[in-house]
Amino acid sequence: MTLTRRQALGLSAGAAAFLAFGTKAGLAASDATEAAIKAFTGGAMPGSGKVSLDTPEIAENGNTVPVGVSVDSPMTADNYVVAVMILADGNPNPAVATFNFSTMSGSAEAKTRIRLAKTQNVIAVAKMSDGSTYMDTKEVKVTIGGCGG
Amino acid sequence: MFSRREFLMAATATSALLGSGMAGNWSRLLAQQGLTEDLLLGMQPKGNLTLVHITDIHAQLKPIYFREPSINLGIGDVEGKPPHVTGADFLKLYNIQPGSPDAYALTSDDFVNLAKSYGRFGGLDRVATVIKRIRAERGEENVLLLDGGDTWQGSYTSNITEGQDMITVMNALNPDAMTGHWEFTYGEDRVKEVIESLPFSFLGSNIYDSEWDEPAFEPWKMFERGGSKVAVIGQAFPYTPIANPRWMIPGWSFGIREEDIATHVEDARSEGADVVVLLSHNGFDVDRKLASRVDGIDVILTGHTHDALPEPVIINNTLVIASGSNGKFVSRVDLDVQDGKIAGYGYRLIPIFSDVITPDPEMAALIDEVRAPYEAELGRKLGTTESLLYRRGNFNGTFDDLICQALLEERDAQIALSPGFRWGTSLLPGQDITFEDLHNACAMTYPAAYRSTMTGQMLKDILEDVGDNLFNKDPYYQQGGDMVRVGGMGYTIAPNKDIGERITDMTLLATGEAIDPAKDYVVAGWASVNEGTEGPAIWDVVESHITKNPTVKLPDNQSVKVVGI
């Protein structure tokens, strides 16, 4: 019997992830990610704070990684979150989702699931009604697994 | 552990016997002369509340030998800190006399000689005696018994009964709560069925319904003990669906989820909790980090990484308690609670010297009853070992060397891979290897021994991946366990480097040639987390090998070179 590498190793994220997982996502965002962030913010690189990203440290299944984002905002007419963009830094096209909000949203929170082919940074950028922008970054590891204690 | 006076008594009584090289009845004689049950259990009581912790029993109902690791590296901030201290350094750190009962219980130094003197550890009938005595001394209404999980898996009888032997015996011990890890390898249906039948709570704050992303288990529970309200939050092993087969528990998602723990701590306090306990299967380094980031946890009863420490490690006002594995230890934590705060504590890591502690007769009978249908098979002799067989250690263990040898020969492979589990008992030179002993090293629900081809690059990627699970500088990315064991191939590892850069000099031992990234190699292994893995069960592979080679003698394994430490 010959197993495929996927069968033998329990690779949940597919063969592409296997070939690439050895490369650790760096702290610096890729050019494509930076361009997508700037297009979203209108040219500025966001500061930190206000926005918090909720991701697993290690993905259980790279094909469907739960990602949650929440932004600290009163969501009133003069101070609310306009939109939040989620980016996967290792994606050829890093911008994976944008959530638009209004004061009617009540709170700026969203959850989705994204596909990650390899270990990489996930980034959330929030655009506020006064034009200021904030971001949070979390590394999500995509691993083979299989040797727990 | 022992006070200085107690220890001197024990050491004086035993010193005459050390190095005598005699086995057998000496251990009981020694026990009678030196160590006593009172000595092992005695401690200055503190306050009104007592937590009793046992974890990672791995289905060991009977006394066993268990050698602690001689190498257990800590990376980054935890380098050289407990539990990443072994051997003589450990003895020095905790002021333990070499050759003493504590030295034998807590380190691997002079293991074989000391094992002959001091005998086996554990046995749930002995554990029952200890728990009964603590309950009698402190008052049943003042004691909480908490089981950290990895209880239902690790033996032939547990595997064949889907954990029922352990469930029956543990129920008789009457725990107040448990959490889990290997429990989940019996599959979602079985776990649900058992939890419904348990007379206590199975807590798992970090287990979510994977479809709806909602909590799937009771996260925490309030108890009233010793005149205090005690909140116990359960934390199952966060990486169960990664380190073990996800397909067996498709409906559940795990993770560390420390913000959930913080929420439960707040809720518990607002509901009047005087004491907050985290019953955790995170592993020591994960709990050390978690204690530094989540305020308000009084005690973390940690598990998973099988560490046994004679004193709590205190992080951010949290007592982190590590109670070992395989039924070798029971922890007793006395708490003096004043005005909703811990004013003082007492701690004793009680080593279960099986020749010293009297078995509880009811429990002994129950254990014999659950084992009776399998007794003949369990005792069946497969061979004899001339080498010490053990598993713990970051890079290899002799029992895994034996498994890898069996995989190479029985499956006609160039390279063997065996997972770096931390469970599995030890056998002394000269001992028979029984059917039970073999199954103690490999009993599990996904035992298929696969045979496959892999490129040199794939092999490198596997070693890098597992190496990062063990040696990532951020404990939240560590999964516990040890390096995957390798047969037929040598390599060099630099644990302090990053993923992709740790592994070098991979060499095919048969020919001495370097592993070629582009070339295919025939690889045999077991315990793949993938559904549909085919091959004979690993215990059949190893049994067949031992039957053909009934005297096991293993050469010193020098195939892994560790650098940069």
Side-chain angles (χ1 to χ4, degrees), chain A residues 61 95 103 105 112 116 147:
Chain A
N61 177 1
T103 54
S105 306
T112 186
L116 300 175
C147 300

Side-chain angles (χ1 to χ4, degrees), chain A residues 149, chain B residues 55-59 147-154 166 178-183 237 281 303-304 306 326 423:
Chain B
T55 191
D56 296 85
I57 300 170
H58 281 289
D147 170 8
D150 274 2
T151 307
W152 305 346
Q153 173 275 341
M166 290 304 296
M178 75 177 290
T179 189
H181 167 202
W182 278 88
E183 282 72 13
F237 175 51
H281 208 93
H304 182 55
H306 294 192
N326 287 273
W423 45 271

Side-chain angles (χ1 to χ4, degrees), chain A residues 1 10 60 139 141 143 148, chain B residues 254 421 451 465 468 477 530:
Chain A
M1 182 195 63
E60 290 176 3
E139 187 184 71
K141 190 174 160 184
T143 171
Chain B
F254 293 64
F421 295 134
R451 183 175 188 278
D465 193 72
D468 199 54
Y477 291 88
N530 252 76

Side-chain angles (χ1 to χ4, degrees), chain B residues 145-458:
Chain B
L145 171 60
L146 300 169
D147 170 8
D150 274 2
T151 307
W152 305 346
Q153 173 275 341
S155 71
Y156 177 76
T157 54
S158 66
N159 211 41
I160 205 160
T161 63
E162 295 185 289
Q164 192 56 52
D165 64 332
M166 290 304 296
I167 293 156
T168 301
V169 170
M170 287 305 288
N171 284 355
L173 282 182
N174 197 20
D176 293 286
M178 75 177 290
T179 189
H181 167 202
W182 278 88
E183 282 72 13
F184 298 105
T185 63
Y186 291 112
E188 227 165 275
D189 291 346
R190 174 64 176 155
V191 173
K192 280 181 183 163
E193 173 193 73
V194 174
I195 288 176
E196 273 173 35
S197 79
L198 288 180
F200 55 88
S201 292
F202 192 112
L203 302 174
S205 152
N206 59 331
I207 310 169
Y208 273 54
D209 180 296
S210 58
E211 192 168 350
W212 299 102
D213 203 23
E214 289 169 346
F217 279 64
E218 185 180 3
W220 66 278
K221 190 172 173 176
M222 190 81 90
F223 296 90
E224 301 215 7
R225 291 289 196 287
S228 299
K229 279 186 154 183
V230 186
V232 178
I233 304 167
Q235 174 85 347
F237 175 51
Y239 295 125
T240 302
I242 299 166
N244 306 89
R246 184 162 52 89
W247 61 269
M248 291 178 168
I249 43 167
W252 293 329
S253 172
F254 293 64
I256 295 174
R257 302 179 191 261
E258 65 172 20
E259 61 292 342
D260 283 21
I261 294 172
T263 306
H264 300 319
V265 173
E266 271 176 42
D267 290 350
R269 294 286 181 195
S270 68
E271 288 181 32
D274 300 296
V275 179
V276 175
V277 177
L278 182 67
L279 177 62
S280 166
H281 208 93
N282 273 335
F284 196 94
D285 290 346
V286 176
D287 277 325
R288 178 193 278 276
K289 178 173 171 181
L290 191 132
S292 75
R293 290 165 57 93
V294 179
D295 295 334
I297 304 172
D298 296 303
V299 181
I300 297 182
L301 303 171
T302 186
H304 182 55
T305 39
H306 294 192
D307 313 293
L309 298 179
E311 292 170 12
V313 172
I314 301 175
I315 310 284
N316 185 22
N317 297 318
T318 303
L319 300 173
V320 184
I321 305 286
S323 308
S325 68
N326 287 273
K328 193 174 166 180
F329 301 94
V330 170
S331 277
R332 169 176 163 183
V333 189
D334 283 6
L335 296 173
D336 181 9
V337 187
Q338 308 270 358
D339 306 320
K341 281 191 177 143
I342 309 276
Y345 75 91
Y347 177 61
R348 192 154 172 103
L349 177 70
I350 302 166
I352 310 296
F353 283 93
S354 67
D355 288 340
V356 180
I357 295 168
T358 312
D360 177 74
E362 282 169 43
M363 187 59 92
L366 183 61
I367 291 170
D368 288 344
E369 189 187 313
V370 299
R371 285 168 55 94
Y374 316 103
E375 204 59 66
E377 187 70 344
L378 292 171
R380 187 160 60 81
K381 178 181 168 179
L382 307 179
T384 310
T385 183
E386 288 185 6
S387 304
L388 167 67
L389 296 182
Y390 65 93
R391 182 170 264 160
R392 280 298 311 272
N394 282 153
F395 304 101
N396 49 43
T398 47
F399 219 125
D400 292 317
D401 291 343
L402 174 62
I403 291 173
C404 285
Q405 207 178 67
L407 283 166
L408 290 175
E409 290 176 19
E410 294 290 316
R411 304 290 283 152
D412 190 23
Q414 293 170 285
I415 293 166
L417 298 178
S418 185
F421 295 134
R422 292 187 173 192
W423 45 271
T425 58
S426 307
L427 290 178
L428 304 184
Q431 268 193 282
D432 288 347
I433 305 171
T434 64
F435 181 84
E436 175 167 32
D437 298 327
L438 168 59
H439 284 255
N440 280 346
C442 57
M444 51 138 61
T445 56
Y446 47 106
Y450 62 84
R451 183 175 188 278
S452 176
T453 57
M454 295 184 193
T455 63
Q457 184 61 47
M458 284 175 66

Side-chain angles (χ1 to χ4, degrees), chain B residues 466-543:
Chain B
V466 181
D468 199 54
N469 292 340
L470 181 58
F471 296 125
N472 194 300
K473 287 184 180 67
D474 183 346
Y476 278 13
Y477 291 88
Q478 294 172 4
Q479 295 178 21
D482 282 304
M483 259 321 264
V484 57
R485 277 62 166 126
V486 183
M489 185 178 85
Y491 66 91
T492 297
I493 180 165
N496 275 311
K497 292 201 171 172
D498 284 334
I499 188 167
E501 295 164 8
R502 288 193 181 93
I503 308 295
T504 52
D505 295 336
M506 287 164 57
T507 308
L508 195 64
L509 295 178
T511 61
E513 69 191 80
I515 296 288
D516 180 346
K519 211 174 140 186
D520 278 337
Y521 298 89
V522 178
V523 180
W526 64 290
S528 163
V529 296
N530 252 76
E531 192 168 10
T533 303
E534 289 175 29
I538 185 63
W539 47 79
D540 289 336
V541 174
V542 181
E543 180 173 336

